[in-house]
Amino acid sequence: MSGYFRRVDDVASFSADTGTKADLFTGGHLFVGLNCFEPGQAQRLHTHHGADKFYLIVSGRAVMAVGDESHEAGPGTVVWAPADVPHGVTRALERTVMLVGIAPPPR
Amino acid sequence: MSGYFRRVDDVASFSADTGTKADLFTGGHLFVGLNCFEPGQAQRLHTHHGADKFYLIVSGRAVMAVGDESHEAGPGTVVWAPADVPHGVTRALERTVMLVGIAPPPR
């Protein structure tokens, strides 16, 4: 569309082998991108030291884990993974697209 | 749902008078919330000094402005408003819900 506008559907891509990541925008303070999964794919538990993160499920459905919480999440659910709290995608139940934001941006 | 999971639909609210804002999560580095508009409502051009921001249109449709760009944006469009670049919602064309992230968080 233009420099400041991007459509998730134009950027999302999928791999039969593993979940994929795509960058949308990166500034000095914030990164925004996509995580895309085929059914059955996962993202192992991990921690961002000193960085806050969220996921928004744009489409699909997945079991998500943050700290000691685990829930199925579908479109319109925001999952908050504060700095230093382990989080991940236990299992995508459908083809799933998540918007992800991380602040400060990963190096 | 729980401490780390929230549904946009559970938080979105609308006012006949003006666009509304709602907080979802705030950490030391990142704020995530909602901006909700009835048709015809707007958010005046403004600038976040030293803070990056994005909007994701979750539902509805609006004319959005960033810098010298202006576009209609619908579901799944991400609008990037980097630090110190003026941005706003020129006009909501439908009842519209936007996820918003700002880093570092507003004080």
Side-chain angles (χ1 to χ4, degrees), chain A residues 2-8 25 27-30 32 50 52 54 56 64 66 69 71 76-80 82 99 103, chain B residues 2-8 25 27-30 32 50 52 54 56 64 66 69 71-72 76-80 82 99 103:
Chain A
S2 72
Y4 295 132
F5 293 67
R6 297 191 79 180
R7 288 196 194 93
V8 167
F25 300 103
H29 309 277
L30 177 60
V32 184
D52 294 327
F54 78 88
L56 170 78
M64 311 282 295
V66 184
E69 296 183 15
H71 295 281
T77 292
V78 180
V79 182
W80 178 245
L99 182 77
Chain B
S2 71
Y4 294 132
F5 292 68
R6 297 191 78 180
R7 288 195 194 94
V8 167
F25 300 101
H29 309 277
L30 177 60
V32 184
D52 294 326
F54 77 89
L56 169 78
M64 312 282 295
V66 183
E69 297 183 14
H71 295 281
E72 267 193 43
T77 293
V78 180
V79 183
W80 177 245
L99 182 78

Side-chain angles (χ1 to χ4, degrees), chain A residues 2 8 13 17 22 43 45 47 50 71 73 76 81-82 89-90 92 95 100 104-105:
Chain A
S2 72
V8 167
S13 68
D17 297 331
Q43 180 189 66
L45 278 175
T47 302
H71 295 281
V89 180
T90 308
R95 175 174 277 200
V100 176

Side-chain angles (χ1 to χ4, degrees), chain A residues 37-76:
Chain A
F37 302 93
E38 292 285 16
Q41 293 179 343
Q43 180 189 66
R44 65 175 173 66
L45 278 175
H46 63 287
T47 302
H48 297 284
H49 297 292
D52 294 327
K53 176 177 176 182
F54 78 88
Y55 304 86
L56 170 78
I57 314 303
V58 175
S59 59
R61 190 155 200 90
V63 181
M64 311 282 295
V66 184
D68 59 359
E69 296 183 15
S70 175
H71 295 281
E72 267 193 42

Side-chain angles (χ1 to χ4, degrees), chain B residues 1-73:
Chain B
M1 299 177 70
S2 71
Y4 294 132
F5 292 68
R6 297 191 78 180
R7 288 195 194 94
V8 167
D9 285 351
D10 291 342
V11 181
S13 68
F14 301 89
S15 162
D17 297 331
T18 185
T20 71
K21 296 181 178 185
D23 293 6
L24 286 168
F25 300 101
T26 306
H29 309 277
L30 177 60
F31 163 86
V32 184
L34 301 182
N35 288 177
C36 303
F37 302 93
E38 293 284 18
Q41 293 178 343
Q43 180 190 65
R44 65 175 173 68
L45 278 175
H46 63 288
T47 302
H48 297 284
H49 297 293
D52 294 326
K53 176 177 176 181
F54 77 89
Y55 304 86
L56 169 78
I57 314 303
V58 176
S59 59
R61 190 154 201 90
V63 181
M64 312 282 295
V66 183
D68 60 0
E69 297 183 14
S70 176
H71 295 281
E72 267 193 43

